[in-house]
């Protein structure tokens, strides 16, 4: 929806790493399980299955590159001669700004959306994977520079603008204001996640190899948690809910936090903060070096539904109605915005038409909203007959909060 982004030609670039060595005078691809004991074997980087393919740009053209690190060997630090990366999203989550970078650090599982603007000078420019310091390498080895992509800039010049960072603000998927505060974490657990390789269990989390029947972490819907990540050499990935990571000191990102679903920590410990707002059920977290995951470096998470305690709310006449169901009945709670919302009113009318079905199924209906009309007769929906279930007022949205039924602005 941003004009400057919409006008840009888009490329999806899947980066993979093939471990190649010389066997009998011929090149051969190495079994991934032998990568880590053999740091001298260097990865050959391919984009969409091609080694150093070529793309074209016109001078002054802006393109959107959607980069996906689908390799398992090591990070890929990318630099593009004569260009600056303008990062607008990570892991599929829009940043709400544009971050200028001269180098992109991609670890296995990372995704980065960048805008690139070609120089006005026609020439051949190289996207390169730079030398990796062994202290920052997953395999603890220094890697050499290699060419990844050839960019040919030629043709009639264009003058395509880049979006101003401020124009992207409203497109942020999540912001600093969405990060759970210390107060919101006060009643939740702070978990320690140790990814490691104990001798008896080569690939495990907290000394436990993967067992789909075991769910050591059971957060509740509507809660927030902070996890302390200890995963040297292992990119951490979690399904369903993204997490917030503090922006490193000196990073050009103007935000205090960045939202991701995959993270590689060079430091000993990294705090991850996340909400479990909407979905319950089982999911997983794992190392995104996928042969590590396949050998057991994964754990199941079971997100538990929120338990809602009993409550009483008034109807339009001020009479209190309890959530406790009469014996033999179940209660279906309908949370809605109010009758001024045409969609909500239409849904309530549909339920009213089906009220006999619910009665036969021994289900009681209760509708709750933050605002009620002053005239109780407005509840009757005369066109479809009497509504015949209570319309209750939850002015402070307490029941909404208990069910986790609020958007991020509290509405």
């Amino acid at each position: 929806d941003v004009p400057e982004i919409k006008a840009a030609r888009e490329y999806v670039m899947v980066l993979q790493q093939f471990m190649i060595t010389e066997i009998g005078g011929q090149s051969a691809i190495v079994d991934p399980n032998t990568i880590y004991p053999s740091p001298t074997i260097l990865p050959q980087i391919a984009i969409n299955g091609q080694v150093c393919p070529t793309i074209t740009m016109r001078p002054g053209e802006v393109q959107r590159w959607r980069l996906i690190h689908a390799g398992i060997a090591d990070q890929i630090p990318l630099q593009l001669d004569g260009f600056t990366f303008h990062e607008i999203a990570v892991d599929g989550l829009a940043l709400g700004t544009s971050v200028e970078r001269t180098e992109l650090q991609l670890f296995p599982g990372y995704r980065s959306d960048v805008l690139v603007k070609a120089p006005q000078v026609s020439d051949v420019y190289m996207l390169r994977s730079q030398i990796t310091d062994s202290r920052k390498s997953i395999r603890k080895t220094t890697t050499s520079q290699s060419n990844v992509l050839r960019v040919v800039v030629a043709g009639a010049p264009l003058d395509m603008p880049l979006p101003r960072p401020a124009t992207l603000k409203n497109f942020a998927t999540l912001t600093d204001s969405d990060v759970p505060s210390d107060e919101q974490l006060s009643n939740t657990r702070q978990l320690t996640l140790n990814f490691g390789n104990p001798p008896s269990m080569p690939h495990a989390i907290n000394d436990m190899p993967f067992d789909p029947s075991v769910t050591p972490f059971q957060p509740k819907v509507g809660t927030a948690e902070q996890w302390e990540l200890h995963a040297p050499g292992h990119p951490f990935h979690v399904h369903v809910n993204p997490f917030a990571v503090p922006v490193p000191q000196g990073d050009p990102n103007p935000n205090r936090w960045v939202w991701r679903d995959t993270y590689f920590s060079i430091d000993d410990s990294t705090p991850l903060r996340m909400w479990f707002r909407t979905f319950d059920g089982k999911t997983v977290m794992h190392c995104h070096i996928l042969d590590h995951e396949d050998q057991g470096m994964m754990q199941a998470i079971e997100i538990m539904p929120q338990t809602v305690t009993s409550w009483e709310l008034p109807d339009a006449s001020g009479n209190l109605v309890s959530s406790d169901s009469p014996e033999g009945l179940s209660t279906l709670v309908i949370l809605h915005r109010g009758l001024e919302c045409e969609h909500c009113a239409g849904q309530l009318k549909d339920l009213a038409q089906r009220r006999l079905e619910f009665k036969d199924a021994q289900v009681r209906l209760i509708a709750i909203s933050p605002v009620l009309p002053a005239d109780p007769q407005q509840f009757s929906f005369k066109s479809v007959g009497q509504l015949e279930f209570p319309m209750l007022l939850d002015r402070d949205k307490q029941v909404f909060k208990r069910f986790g039924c609020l958007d991020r602005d509290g509405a």
Side-chain angles (χ1 to χ4, degrees):
D1 294 323
V2 178
E4 296 88 350
I5 298 176
K6 190 173 184 178
R9 188 171 12 161
E10 179 179 299
Y11 286 99
V12 176
M13 301 182 184
V14 180
L15 285 75
Q16 292 176 283
Q17 295 168 308
F18 298 97
M19 310 305 289
I20 297 176
T21 188
E22 292 290 327
I23 299 178
Q26 294 186 344
S27 295
I29 295 179
V30 179
D31 183 336
N33 292 326
T34 66
I35 291 173
Y36 303 99
S38 306
T40 57
I41 300 175
L42 300 179
Q44 174 69 65
I45 299 170
I47 291 183
N48 299 344
Q50 300 179 61
V51 175
C52 201
T54 298
I55 65 171
T56 60
M57 298 184 72
R58 290 165 63 180
E61 181 184 357
V62 173
Q63 292 184 358
R64 180 183 187 177
W65 296 357
R66 312 190 77 169
L67 300 157
I68 303 167
H69 189 337
I72 64 171
D74 217 324
Q75 72 262 47
I76 302 176
L78 293 175
Q79 288 186 348
L80 180 56
D81 297 341
F83 287 69
T84 298
F85 300 112
H86 301 267
E87 191 172 46
I88 57 174
V90 296
D91 294 351
L93 303 170
L95 295 173
T97 187
S98 176
V99 182
E100 291 189 16
R101 300 189 184 279
T102 56
E103 179 175 297
L104 283 178
Q105 278 280 359
L106 299 180
F107 289 89
Y110 274 32
R111 286 90 73 209
S112 176
D113 282 31
V114 296
L115 300 176
V116 292
K117 183 178 174 70
Q120 291 295 333
V121 178
S122 296
D123 205 342
V124 177
Y125 299 85
M126 300 303 300
L127 177 68
R128 294 186 173 91
S129 177
Q130 297 300 317
I131 296 172
T132 302
D133 189 315
S134 61
R135 293 170 299 177
K136 299 179 180 179
S137 165
I138 292 177
R139 299 191 303 141
K140 303 303 180 187
T141 184
T142 300
T143 59
S144 59
Q145 186 182 80
S146 61
N147 294 334
V148 177
L149 176 71
R150 182 181 292 103
V151 182
V152 177
V153 177
L158 295 174
D159 187 18
M160 295 179 63
L162 290 159
R164 292 182 295 108
T167 65
L168 304 176
K169 183 177 180 181
N170 292 333
F171 295 92
T173 306
L174 295 163
T175 66
D176 283 355
S177 63
D178 295 298
V179 179
S181 65
D182 292 343
E183 293 75 17
Q184 290 168 320
L185 293 169
S186 60
N187 295 320
T188 61
R189 296 163 296 153
Q190 296 201 18
L191 303 177
T192 299
L193 304 176
N194 287 300
F195 282 44
N197 306 87
S200 59
M201 292 169 286
H203 297 90
I205 298 176
N206 289 355
D207 295 334
M208 293 174 57
F210 179 59
D211 182 341
S213 66
V214 177
T215 53
F217 306 137
Q218 295 182 322
K220 286 186 177 181
V221 170
T223 65
E225 296 196 0
Q226 176 166 307
W227 296 359
E228 295 292 334
L229 177 64
H230 299 266
H234 303 281
F236 170 77
H237 175 62
V238 65
H239 289 208
V240 181
N241 296 293
F243 51 80
V245 183
V247 172
Q249 188 174 6
D251 190 279
N253 190 329
N255 301 317
R256 293 181 54 233
W257 298 80
V258 61
W259 288 87
R260 311 196 63 106
D261 66 21
T262 306
Y263 187 69
F264 180 84
S265 174
I266 297 174
D267 299 327
D268 291 337
S269 175
T270 303
L272 313 177
R273 293 190 177 191
M274 70 183 78
W275 282 103
F276 303 92
R277 277 201 165 111
T278 306
F279 303 104
D280 59 24
K282 277 190 177 182
T283 184
V284 293
M285 60 181 173
H286 59 86
C287 174
H288 219 297
I289 296 176
L290 295 184
D291 62 308
H292 288 190
E293 173 216 42
D294 292 345
Q295 296 179 72
M297 194 170 282
M298 179 162 68
Q299 279 194 355
I301 305 167
E302 187 168 13
I303 304 171
M304 308 301 292
Q306 183 64 268
T307 301
V308 180
T309 56
S310 298
W311 39 261
E312 287 186 332
L313 290 175
D315 62 17
S317 300
N319 301 315
L320 292 177
V321 177
S322 171
S323 61
D324 297 332
S325 294
E327 187 173 353
L329 294 182
S330 300
T331 298
L332 175 63
V333 177
I334 305 117
L335 300 169
H336 65 101
R337 295 180 181 273
L339 297 181
E340 292 184 358
C341 170
E342 292 184 9
H343 178 266
C344 294
Q347 295 290 309
L348 290 168
K349 288 181 181 181
D350 181 64
L351 289 169
Q353 288 176 317
R354 300 174 58 194
R355 64 189 181 280
L356 295 180
E357 296 177 41
F358 288 102
K359 184 177 180 179
D360 291 342
Q362 295 187 304
V363 175
R364 179 180 70 147
L365 303 180
I366 293 178
I368 301 174
S369 67
V371 59
L372 292 179
D375 182 2
Q377 294 303 313
Q378 293 187 43
F379 300 158
S380 65
F381 296 124
K382 295 183 184 298
S383 62
V384 294
Q386 193 68 23
L387 191 58
E388 292 189 359
F389 55 80
M391 302 284 288
L392 306 183
L393 174 64
D394 184 14
R395 196 184 308 277
D396 297 326
K397 305 177 186 174
Q398 293 305 310
V399 177
F400 282 75
K401 292 175 183 176
R402 292 183 188 184
F403 278 106
C405 191
L406 294 172
D407 63 25
R408 68 190 190 193
D409 297 320

